[in-house]
Amino acid sequence: GRQSVLDRAKSNILGSKQKSPVKKITVRDPFVCVKGDTASVFFNADKELEDGSKFDSLCNEVYERKDGQWLVLKFQTNWKPAK
């Protein structure tokens, strides 16, 4: 449960439509709550792109398990330039 949800969250925050590829990403303070077939994930993330730009975000995701697979019901980030 918890590790598979964290792995899915990691793949979501890397994204696939970046203008500049992600060089490094750090997930801080992950909190996962699994209740039955529903899971919520909350974490802070820092992202550095190949061009040197840095961003941070408070992220949250809600998952539902169907047929043994965790499906994303909601994925929210608010990437902002890092201070």
Side-chain angles (χ1 to χ4, degrees):
R2 182 179 191 274
Q3 188 59 49
S4 61
V5 171
L6 282 173
D7 291 342
R8 177 66 181 207
K10 181 179 176 183
S11 72
N12 285 343
I13 60 173
L14 287 175
S16 60
K17 297 183 179 181
Q18 296 291 331
K19 291 181 182 177
S20 180
V22 175
K23 177 180 178 182
K24 177 181 175 183
I25 194 146
T26 305
V27 172
R28 296 179 285 111
D29 309 316
F31 176 78
V32 179
C33 179
V34 179
K35 290 187 178 183
D37 289 331
T38 304
S40 299
V41 182
F42 302 92
F43 55 92
N44 294 298
D46 301 316
K47 179 164 51 174
E48 182 179 350
L49 304 182
E50 288 291 337
D51 68 4
S53 348
K54 295 180 181 180
F55 300 87
D56 56 31
S57 178
L58 174 61
C59 308
N60 73 51
E61 299 182 351
V62 178
Y63 293 87
E64 181 178 41
R65 185 172 32 206
K66 285 192 175 181
D67 300 323
Q69 297 283 328
W70 286 103
L71 306 175
V72 178
L73 298 179
K74 177 184 172 188
F75 175 65
Q76 183 176 355
T77 62
N78 63 341
W79 292 107
K80 296 183 230 173
K83 294 180 182 180

